[in-house]
Amino acid sequence: MGSFLAMTDPVGPFSDWQYGIYLRGMGMGERPELPVAWDALERAAYDALDEAPRGYVWGGAGTGDTMRANLDALRAWRIVPRHLRAVEARDLSAEVLGSRLPAPLALAPIGVQSIVHPEGELASARAAAAVGVPYTASTAAAHTMEEIASAGGERWYQLYWPKDEAICASLVKRAEAAGYTAIVVTLDTFFLGWRPTDLAQGFLPFLRGEGIAQFLSDPVFRAQLARPPEEDLQAAVGHWVSIVNKVVQWEDLAWLRGITELPIVLKGVLHRDDARRAVAAGMDGVVVSNHGGRQVDGAVAALDALVDVADEIGGDATVLFDSGIRCGADVVKALCLGADAVLLGRPFLWGLALAGADGVEHVLRMLLAEVDLTMALSGAATVADLTPELLRRA
Ligand code: FNR
């Protein structure tokens, strides 16, 4: 069984996880504890959560049209497997934002994970570190960035840019001090989109002080309060409401560029002109994303935008992608269409809801095993082999 242990090595070949499941099944009669089919996993998580958090995770803007478009756009591209190539050994590693990653995958920033599991972000960050996948800590997290950092592993900090410049600078400096290696500025959520599911339940956890840990722990924010949040939470929440979020403009970027040496990527870019201008403004890259269809109903599918943005700035700057990734094939398709790496969103919450850190790790290993196998079986041995030639429109 020594070789079996080697198979669970955190950065070992990802598809060995598949073989391990067969070995445990045939050798010990064990079955995987969590579903290994994506639809079964999603359904189990859906059933496990209460109505309000379920609505928050599954909900989208307006009619849900953008969420559907994200999924449809991924289905509209098909992989055309190629054969007789040297794919026995694969190398999924990739250089992203100055770090060598075991695979071109990171966790998307997701706030207030405590509504899904009591350990929230701490569990997800531990799972990401165990697999070697970067964790993106949200400004809207229920745990502080310093607590999240204690999980170890590669980490990026997602900034919701506050109206107050001093608080904004403090968040960025704290991220630097806590070992975050990139700043991800989310552009598309200065107001919340029209989200019928949450509206119908009157559900916004931040208003009861859940998901604002970065602020409650921030020395500059705290200094602006008459009494500390531990004594007057409602006043702290009121102050938080008054300072989130700034409607960031192009001319603001120079200030941010000036206060940090860390790579900065802009999240929510969907137009090639915005991508080009981001590079001109000294940004290191973009995340092509429509926030998982939670902001603008009727928006362009993120994958369709990726094609434009990668054509415009691919090679000049880092192009990350999210919104609609639901399986290994989706990751492969986004990489083929020009993403340097892909961010996983809702599916890791499914794992979190079902089994905390173990659940997130399950999701990551399942996804990476699928990516690895899909690449091998399609004739791609390295990430560089993932090009548009491997795909065709349905
Ligand atoms: C998000 N997303 C998000 N983005 C961000 O920059 N900061 C945040 O705090 C959050 N919070 C958040 C909560 C929940 C419940 C969801 C589902 C999403 C957006 C996230 O980073 C990513 O863009 C989407 O999740 C991608 O879409 P899919 O693939 O999850 O559908």
Side-chain angles (χ1 to χ4, degrees), residues 10 43 52 123 138 208 214 224-225 385:
R43 169 54 59 182
S138 165
R208 64 177 185 218
Q214 309 314 343
Q224 295 172 357
L225 301 173
D385 295 334

Side-chain angles (χ1 to χ4, degrees), residues 159-236:
L159 179 69
Y160 278 136
W161 193 312
K163 289 176 184 145
D164 186 295
E165 199 169 87
I167 296 176
C168 189
S170 177
L171 293 174
V172 171
K173 290 293 151 197
R174 284 171 58 196
E176 285 179 350
Y180 290 81
T181 57
I183 303 290
V184 178
V185 182
T186 299
L187 302 177
D188 55 18
T189 314
F190 47 85
F191 305 139
L192 279 184
W194 181 258
R195 299 181 182 174
T197 327
D198 299 332
L199 289 167
Q201 302 186 64
F203 183 72
L204 194 61
F206 311 104
L207 296 185
R208 64 177 185 218
E210 193 171 355
I212 61 171
Q214 309 314 343
F215 297 90
L216 300 185
S217 61
D218 190 81
V220 177
F221 179 87
R222 292 175 70 95
Q224 295 172 357
L225 301 173
R227 289 198 292 152
E230 296 75 27
E231 287 172 23
D232 189 350
L233 181 61
Q234 272 321 307

